[in-house]
Amino acid sequence: RILRSAASPRVQLSVFLMILGSVIAAIHDVSFDFVGYSYVLLNDVFTAFNGVVTKQKTDAKKLGEWGILFHNTLYSTPVIIVFLLLDTQGTELSLHSPLWGNPRFCVAFLFSSMLGCLIQYSTVYCTKVNSALTTTVVGCLKNILTTYVGMLMVDYKFTWYNFVGLNISIAASLFYSYTRVKERKKASAAAQKNCEDAEPSPDSVAKEAPHCPV
């Protein structure tokens, strides 16, 4: 409603299954931590809010991708400075770390910072051309390999609830991606057909012809 767009029943079903899978995976968590889960849920709320605002403001008439990145940096910098001033010990250790004298570390740090900027731009651009929900689902899909490899680690506590729940969420994410691709192709084909069927009237000859999607 905020973005003035309605999701199709298949998209709603895929989102419901993703949430259901998460609940099943966590319902019998043997290492349950209320504080940890509270932080995760709070992070989810702020992530959803960030995605919605990003989608609204990436309109070229408002801010655009670079405007979003600029204001995000502008507003977050004072918060980071406050945390640095509060954590004086960590700041002191970071500034005087012996690794700053290691050229290999400096190069790795530089490339890491550049990749961070690239990820931020990619996230904003993905939200602009798709939707906030698609960006969130894509962020989950990129962790599929990490999730299955993590199950092979020694510290992973296997339970059938957790295993089944994770697979339900992953399958729902793939189903969402498939549904969105089919919907975009269908919408593009319909727009192309409407454009081809539209015949210019004599009064509109002097006007610019409508742009048909290719």
Side-chain angles (χ1 to χ4, degrees):
R1 181 176 298 179
I2 297 177
L3 297 176
R4 298 176 182 176
S5 60
S8 66
R10 287 192 174 187
V11 170
Q12 295 180 23
L13 174 62
S14 62
V15 174
F16 172 76
L17 290 176
M18 280 186 274
I19 297 175
L20 177 63
S22 301
V23 172
I24 294 175
I27 198 170
H28 278 268
D29 188 357
V30 294
S31 59
F32 177 81
D33 185 357
F34 177 79
V35 176
Y37 274 87
S38 299
Y39 282 138
V40 170
L41 291 175
L42 190 62
N43 175 74
D44 293 340
V45 172
F46 282 115
T47 300
F49 179 73
N50 176 70
V52 172
V53 173
T54 299
K55 182 62 176 178
Q56 284 182 324
K57 301 303 181 181
T58 46
D59 189 343
K61 297 180 181 179
K62 295 180 180 178
L63 291 177
E65 306 98 293
W66 295 109
I68 286 289
L69 293 174
F70 172 77
H71 284 83
N72 184 44
T73 304
L74 182 65
Y75 298 143
S76 61
T77 299
V79 179
I80 295 175
I81 293 176
V82 170
F83 276 103
L84 290 176
L85 294 177
L86 292 176
D87 186 15
T88 55
Q89 183 179 2
T91 304
E92 191 72 16
L93 290 174
S94 300
L95 293 176
H96 298 88
S97 174
L99 291 174
W100 290 115
N102 187 340
R104 297 175 62 182
F105 170 79
C106 293
V107 172
F109 181 82
L110 176 63
F111 276 98
S112 176
S113 301
M114 293 172 60
L115 288 175
C117 296
L118 181 60
I119 289 175
Q120 287 294 322
Y121 178 81
S122 301
T123 301
V124 175
Y125 185 76
C126 179
T127 304
K128 176 184 178 180
V129 300
N130 295 291
S131 67
L133 179 58
T134 298
T135 301
T136 303
V137 175
V138 169
C140 297
L141 284 176
K142 69 179 178 58
N143 295 325
I144 289 180
L145 180 61
T146 307
T147 300
Y148 284 116
V149 172
M151 291 180 180
L152 303 177
M153 300 300 176
V154 180
D155 57 345
Y156 174 70
K157 300 177 181 179
F158 177 85
T159 64
W160 279 109
Y161 284 99
N162 184 268
F163 180 76
V164 172
L166 288 176
N167 280 277
I168 290 176
S169 294
I170 291 173
S173 300
L174 294 173
F175 177 68
Y176 172 87
S177 301
Y178 171 79
T179 301
R180 289 295 296 166
V181 170
K182 295 289 289 184
E183 288 181 352
R184 289 181 70 93
K185 287 184 177 180
K186 184 177 180 180
S188 179
Q192 179 71 30
K193 186 177 184 301
N194 292 335
C195 189
E196 292 175 352
D197 292 343
E199 296 181 0
S201 60
D203 296 336
S204 63
V205 174
K207 297 181 181 181
E208 184 180 358
H211 175 71
C212 295
V214 179

